[in-house]
Each structure stands twice: as structure tokens, then as C-alpha cells.
Amino acid sequence: MSAVNKTCGELHEHLNGMSNVFDGVKEQVADMEEKTQDLRNKLGIHENDHENTEEVLRDFMARNLDIDHQVEFTSVHRFGKKNKKRARPIVAKFIYQCDLDQVLKSAKKLKEKPFQINQQFPEEIEQARKSLYPIMKEHRQKGDHVKLVRDIQYSI
């Protein structure tokens, strides 16, 4: 009987080790998803039937964000079903992180305009951020400077 107990104990330890490995892989996958998805941003810009979406985005960035240099994208497209009442958002995947950073930094220029720029994150990070928004709002009402980086809140 002790041999069976010993084998069960070894299997239990092995299973716990595999569970830890699985958790690590799951975290790595979330990080990889973020690295691909965090380069995508949504913009609500008027839509035409035969538009060159990349040119529409470049024009928008030049007029509204004062970005006039050639930003490189891997893809630019609209998503969702066409709707006559609202333009579909544009999703842009940037090649260079510095271009994305410049666009995000320039987004404050849209404060009084009917446009917005949002960063996309994997679902797990979006859920974590959603739970942090009320806490962030509370800190800001107290006058604290609060920033969300991925799914971590920093109070400065």
C-alpha cells in the first residue's frame, strides 16, 4: 500500500508541476497576444464605399494629430458590418512601436473632437483593466495622477 501512496504522491507532485508550467505558458500567450494586439487602434472616421482606408487614416493623422511623416502599417482596415448611421472603426496595426507611441501621445489633441483612439488588448487584460477603472476614477477625484499600463495601475 505504501508503494501506491508513494506513486500517488509522485503523480500529484508531477501534476502540480505541470499546472505551474501551464500557467506560465498561458501568461506567455497573453503577453504575445498583447504584443500583436496592442499595435491596433480604433478610429471612428467617416466612411466611403470605395475608399483607400490607409490613405484615409494618413489624412486623418495629418489633419487632426499633426503627424505628417510616413507612418508604416502592416494592415489598416475597417471592421464590423456597414451601418449608414455610423462609420465603422478603423483598425491599424503599426510596424514600429515609436509610431504607435506618437499616435497615442497625440490623441489628446482629439479631446474636443468627435474622434477617439483606443488601444486593443487581449480579453484577459481588458477584464483586469475594467476592474481597475472605478479605482482609477476614485484616485483621480482625490487629485492623484493615475496611469494604467497593461493591467497594472500606477499612482504617481
Side-chain angles (χ1 to χ4, degrees), residues 48-60:
N48 295 318
D49 284 339
H50 302 289
E51 70 185 11
N52 178 338
T53 310
E54 187 169 328
E55 287 303 316
V56 170
L57 181 57
R58 287 184 195 287
D59 181 59
F60 174 84

Side-chain angles (χ1 to χ4, degrees), residues 15 27 41-42 65 89-90 92 119-120 136 149 151 154-155:
L15 185 59
E27 189 173 312
N41 294 287
K42 296 183 247 179
L65 303 177
I90 292 176
Q119 215 169 353
Q120 285 185 327
M136 185 173 80
V149 178
D151 55 348
Y154 295 98
S155 296

